[in-house]
Amino acid sequence: MKSLTCPLCGKNAQDKYRPFCSSRCANLDLGNWLNEDYRVSVIEDDDLDDIEDV
Ligand SMILES: [Zn+2]
């Protein structure tokens, strides 16, 4: 089997936390997803504001 490397820091991934090397990297990745989701909904709110102005 080929070994996976952590997509965040490049260290060897642990079976327990695949594809990450540790719970810390797994949590960081989850945080990135949540932040992106939040940013997208903020942009959508701005668009609605523009429509109300016109
Ligand atoms: Zn890592």
Side-chain angles (χ1 to χ4, degrees):
M1 291 177 82
K2 55 178 174 177
S3 55
L4 284 168
T5 52
C6 175
L8 291 184
C9 69
K11 288 180 185 170
N12 286 336
Q14 300 289 322
D15 269 354
K16 198 174 172 184
Y17 302 113
R18 265 190 317 182
F20 306 101
C21 68
S22 64
S23 60
R24 199 208 289 187
C25 279
N27 284 334
L28 272 177
D29 191 64
L30 184 66
N32 285 342
W33 275 94
L34 293 177
N35 284 340
E36 270 177 42
D37 205 36
Y38 179 71
R39 238 179 277 140
V40 167
S41 34
V42 168
I43 290 168
E44 277 173 7
D45 278 353
D46 278 353
D47 278 351
L48 287 176
D49 252 10
D50 278 352
I51 290 167
E52 271 179 47
D53 264 0
V54 173

